[in-house]
């Protein structure tokens, strides 16, 4: 028997009815794979090309990933840019936990990790990298975290997926793919953090 | 990439002692402090994590460095800080600790940092108020943030705590720093030896898991870390204390003793130092001294503690 196509996986969902009685029903929910492994690689390659073209020829530049998946994407983009001949490109990782506007809601689950920016942010052209752009609140936090380190020459934003649903006036400069319905959840999976490369829409 | 964050989450809104913490919980504080270490070296030495929160330093005992360190830590988290000292306050007029705390809390305080000459005062406080209580030293009981910054400094230098041999030398009987260090170090797998005269290092401490030794020269070669406690001059006049000269001769850390210590031994002191009494200038300012790093690390550790307790209280 062939394995079912991955685009139509059937999930068992535990449904709670308003009366309080619990019934178990099989609800067919479509989870589509937006990008498979090859798609992720091709998209990242294209994004890297666009970023490459935008880098200033005469100023220090850096790729900065937002922890945790943006950090992995930034590392891959860094490697791709080096293959394209970008020398002296700095690299960093940003933890935005302390800058989030929903710290009170997260409570004890907030985990602060290290921000690792070893280069001088002052006058640097910085490309921020994240996996999904949704409300724009993470990007806002990341911009605030960066400018507390110095005054960059410019900050650009590169994302794998733009999900729509913005709550702040923030847009990405480099977008891998766009999804049409902000209500549908997007998950970017990467080998380094999740064991495989793909983008899922639920 | 940074070390993977610990699985444990911090759920306590008070930090009262290290005795009741698990090794994992201590690990969460140390890992979080790691992330706060860099804030002091950046362009803007502040993060907005405690913006709009109010921290009060409620100090019933003299302190300069601990209070300053807590103040700076709170300010670097963007909190507002108020200093309250017992002198000239309503405490002098006979108000109880609980009433003082409830009055301060009624002004909208989120975190109370408390130092008190009575052991257990912060614990009592934590039962009187709804806000977070951080123990900044209570009597002879505990000084948890001092021990945490000591652990942080040891880990920074040695890469680990487990398996290390640590000597704590001095007036152990009266020291809250010694007690907090004992709990923290043993929970993380280090072996603690208390060293000092019999009157200041009673054998009772053996039942808490420490080794007790009255002759520093017999054991000095064993240790990875030597933590010299401050000789509290106010106790020198009491009959438990030998003469200062005798103490310096028998237990003071000097260049001669250091030559018999491990070449990579780490020397620590919680401050303020009595130069020439428990430690010589040569050793205090020497290559193996981490005394000023302890002060620097204290800031990161206290930021982590304020942040974690505030998060556990609901942000």
């Amino acid at each position: 028997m062939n394995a079912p196509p991955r685009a139509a996986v059937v999930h068992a969902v535990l449904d709670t009815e308003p009366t309080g009685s619990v019934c178990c029903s099989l609800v067919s929910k479509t989870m589509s794979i937006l990008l498979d492994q090859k798609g992720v690689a091709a998209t990242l390659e294209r994004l890297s090309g666009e970023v490459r073209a935008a880098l200033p020829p005469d100023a220090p530049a850096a790729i900065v990933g937002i922890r945790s998946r943006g950090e992995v994407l930034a590392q891959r983009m860094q490697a791709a840019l080096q293959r394209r001949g970008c020398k002296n490109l700095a690299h960093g990782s940003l933890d935005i936990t302390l800058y989030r506007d929903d710290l009170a809601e997260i409570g004890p689950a907030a985990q602060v990790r290290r921000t690792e920016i070893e280069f001088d942010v002052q006058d640097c052209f910085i490309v921020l990298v994240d996996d999904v752009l949704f409300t724009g609140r993470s990007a806002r936090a990341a911009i605030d975290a960066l400018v507390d380190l110095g005054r960059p020459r410019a900050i650009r934003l590169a994302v794998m997926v733009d999900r729509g649903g913005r709550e702040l006036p923030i847009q990405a400069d480099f977008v891998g793919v766009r999804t049409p319905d902000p209500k549908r959840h997007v998950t970017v999976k990467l080998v380094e953090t999740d064991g495989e490369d793909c983008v899922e829409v639920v | 990439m940074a070390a993977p964050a610990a699985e444990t989450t911090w759920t306590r809104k008070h930090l009262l002692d290290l005795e009741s913490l698990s090794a994992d919980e201590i690990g969460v504080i140390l890992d979080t402090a790691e992330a706060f270490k860099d804030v002091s070296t950046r362009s803007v030495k502040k993060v907005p994590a405690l913006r709009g929160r109010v921290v009060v330093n409620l100090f019933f005992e003299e302190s300069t460095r601990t209070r300053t360190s807590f103040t700076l830590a709170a300010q670097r988290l963007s909190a507002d800080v108020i200093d309250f000292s017992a002198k000239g306050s309503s405490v002098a007029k006979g108000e109880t600790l609980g009433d003082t705390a409830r009055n301060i809390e009624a002004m909208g305080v989120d975190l109370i940092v408390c130092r008190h000459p009575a052991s257990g005062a912060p614990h009592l406080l934590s039962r009187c108020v709804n806000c977070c209580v951080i123990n900044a030293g209570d009597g002879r009981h505990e000084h948890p943030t001092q021990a945490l910054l000591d652990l942080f400094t040891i880990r920074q230098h040695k890469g680990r705590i487990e398996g290390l041999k640590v000597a704590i030398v001095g007036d152990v009987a009266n020291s809250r720093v010694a007690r907090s260090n004992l709990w923290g170090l043993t929970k993380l797998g280090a072996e603690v030896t208390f060293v000092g005269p019999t009157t200041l290092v009673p054998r009772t401490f053996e039942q808490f898991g420490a080794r007790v030794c009255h002759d520093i020269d017999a054991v000095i070669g064993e240790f990875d870390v030597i933590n010299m406690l401050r000789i509290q001059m106010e106790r020198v006049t009491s009959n438990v204390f030998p003469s200062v000269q005798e103490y310096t001769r028998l237990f003071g850390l000097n260049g001669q003793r250091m030559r018999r210590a491990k070449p990579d031994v780490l020397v620590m002191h919680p401050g303020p130092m009595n130069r020439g009494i428990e430690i010589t200038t040569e050793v205090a300012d020497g290559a193996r001294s981490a005394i000023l790093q302890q002060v620097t690390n204290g800031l990161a550790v206290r930021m982590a503690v304020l942040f974690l307790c505030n998060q556990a209280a609901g942000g």
Side-chain angles (χ1 to χ4, degrees):
Chain A
M1 194 184 139
N2 290 332
R6 294 194 57 195
V9 182
V10 176
H11 289 259
V13 173
L14 203 61
D15 249 352
T16 310
E17 306 235 286
T19 53
S21 69
V22 176
C23 72
C24 190
S25 64
L26 274 175
V27 178
S28 175
K29 230 178 169 183
T30 319
M31 183 202 69
S32 46
I33 301 287
L34 193 63
L35 294 174
D36 58 9
Q37 188 218 325
K38 278 182 183 161
V40 169
T43 306
L44 201 59
E45 202 54 37
R46 200 199 79 230
L47 272 178
S48 303
E50 290 175 22
V51 168
R52 171 79 178 96
L55 290 179
D58 55 346
I63 306 294
V64 172
I66 301 175
R67 290 198 198 274
S68 51
R69 286 183 187 79
E71 181 186 10
V72 176
L73 288 171
Q75 279 163 355
R76 292 196 196 174
M77 187 179 282
Q78 170 93 354
L81 287 166
Q82 273 165 352
R83 284 197 299 276
R84 288 164 191 265
C86 284
K87 302 269 191 286
N88 307 323
L89 196 57
H91 174 266
S93 300
L94 206 56
D95 185 277
I96 59 164
T97 312
L98 299 169
Y99 287 84
R100 292 177 65 144
D101 57 8
D102 58 351
L103 263 179
E105 283 87 76
I106 310 171
Q111 276 196 346
V112 190
R113 283 163 224 200
R114 273 194 71 198
T115 282
E116 286 167 280
I117 307 269
E118 307 297 336
F119 57 90
D120 192 0
V121 166
Q122 198 71 24
D123 294 324
C124 187
F125 183 96
I126 293 175
V127 181
L128 265 177
V129 182
D130 206 358
D131 55 348
V132 180
L133 177 61
F134 178 36
T135 60
R137 288 173 191 269
S138 295
R140 192 283 306 164
I143 293 166
D144 278 351
L146 270 182
V147 298
D148 272 0
L149 300 175
R151 185 178 185 271
R153 170 170 165 161
I155 300 175
R156 301 281 185 263
L157 178 61
V159 296
M160 196 67 179
V161 184
D162 183 347
R163 182 181 160 185
R166 219 74 80 238
E167 292 167 4
L168 295 174
I170 281 172
Q171 302 302 335
D173 302 283
F174 313 101
V175 178
V177 282
R178 291 176 205 277
T179 57
D181 183 358
K183 286 198 253 338
R184 296 190 68 184
H185 189 83
V186 175
T187 307
V188 173
K189 292 185 174 175
L190 298 167
V191 172
E192 293 88 333
T193 46
D194 313 281
E196 59 172 333
D197 277 355
C198 70
V199 176
E200 296 172 354
V201 182
V202 181
Chain B
M1 266 180 76
E7 295 289 313
T8 318
T9 53
W10 179 266
T11 54
R12 295 169 189 267
K13 69 179 201 180
H14 310 301
L15 176 70
L16 303 173
D17 52 52
L18 292 194
E19 184 183 0
S20 57
L21 300 191
S22 69
D24 283 348
E25 285 176 313
I26 294 173
V28 171
I29 300 177
L30 299 181
D31 289 345
T32 306
E34 207 71 60
F36 282 112
K37 213 175 60 176
D38 300 332
V39 175
S40 305
T41 61
R42 336 183 312 179
S43 164
V44 176
K45 295 176 180 56
K46 252 180 198 281
V47 287
L50 254 65
R51 196 169 49 195
R53 299 285 168 273
V54 181
V55 176
V56 61
N57 285 325
L58 185 57
F59 277 56
F60 296 92
E61 205 181 73
E62 292 298 314
S63 161
T64 313
R65 93 189 47 212
T66 304
R67 202 184 56 216
T68 309
S69 180
F70 266 111
T71 299
L72 210 47
Q75 287 174 342
R76 289 200 172 155
L77 292 166
S78 303
D80 295 313
V81 188
I82 313 165
D83 272 331
F84 178 99
S85 64
K87 270 188 191 141
S89 72
S90 49
V91 177
K93 298 173 190 165
E95 192 175 53
T96 67
L97 177 64
D99 281 335
T100 303
R102 276 188 287 264
N103 273 280
I104 288 172
E105 189 185 31
M107 297 176 201
V109 166
D110 300 286
L111 296 110
I112 294 179
V113 177
C114 176
R115 167 165 290 192
H116 202 285
S119 301
H123 296 69
L124 172 67
L125 209 59
S126 71
R127 292 190 294 270
C128 297
V129 294
N130 289 315
C131 61
C132 306
V133 177
I134 316 285
N135 182 359
D138 62 326
R140 301 173 187 185
H141 177 231
E142 284 222 34
H143 190 352
T145 57
Q146 176 67 43
L148 287 166
L149 74 89
D150 290 342
L151 291 168
F152 188 86
T153 307
I154 295 171
R155 203 173 74 163
Q156 188 179 36
H157 278 266
K158 303 288 182 187
R160 70 196 160 100
I161 302 288
E162 198 174 0
L164 293 180
K165 291 186 175 222
V166 181
I168 297 175
V169 185
D171 185 1
V172 173
N174 293 301
S175 173
R176 52 193 174 213
V177 175
R179 283 169 178 77
S180 283
N181 260 285
L182 174 64
W183 295 122
L185 285 163
T186 49
K187 278 169 199 280
L188 297 188
E191 190 188 292
V192 178
T193 306
F194 285 144
V195 186
T198 49
T199 47
L200 301 180
V201 185
R203 291 242 168 253
T204 332
F205 281 102
E206 284 173 348
Q207 70 194 58
F208 301 111
R211 185 177 149 214
V212 168
C213 178
H214 303 302
D215 180 2
I216 192 169
D217 294 310
V219 288
I220 192 162
E222 301 174 10
F223 303 116
D224 303 294
V225 179
I226 301 177
N227 198 345
M228 299 302 295
L229 299 176
R230 191 175 89 88
I231 286 305
Q232 292 165 293
M233 297 311 257
E234 58 272 25
R235 296 192 205 283
V236 170
T237 48
S238 71
N239 56 6
V240 296
F241 207 91
S243 74
V244 173
Q245 291 85 345
E246 187 187 357
Y247 181 85
T248 302
R249 188 166 51 78
L250 291 176
F251 296 100
L253 196 56
N254 53 34
Q256 200 186 348
R257 286 209 164 94
M258 281 296 282
R259 278 188 279 283
R260 277 180 280 125
K262 281 189 181 176
D264 63 342
V265 70
L266 189 69
V267 175
M268 307 208 298
H269 192 299
M273 282 185 281
N274 299 303
R275 282 180 187 263
I277 297 179
E278 69 263 10
I279 192 165
T280 61
T281 289
E282 176 191 1
V283 178
D285 302 339
R288 285 173 277 177
S289 163
I291 295 171
L292 288 176
Q293 286 164 42
Q294 287 175 269
V295 179
T296 305
N297 290 338
L299 211 50
V301 163
R302 291 183 175 114
M303 285 174 80
V305 167
L306 290 169
F307 173 77
L308 289 169
C309 289
N310 181 61
Q311 281 303 121

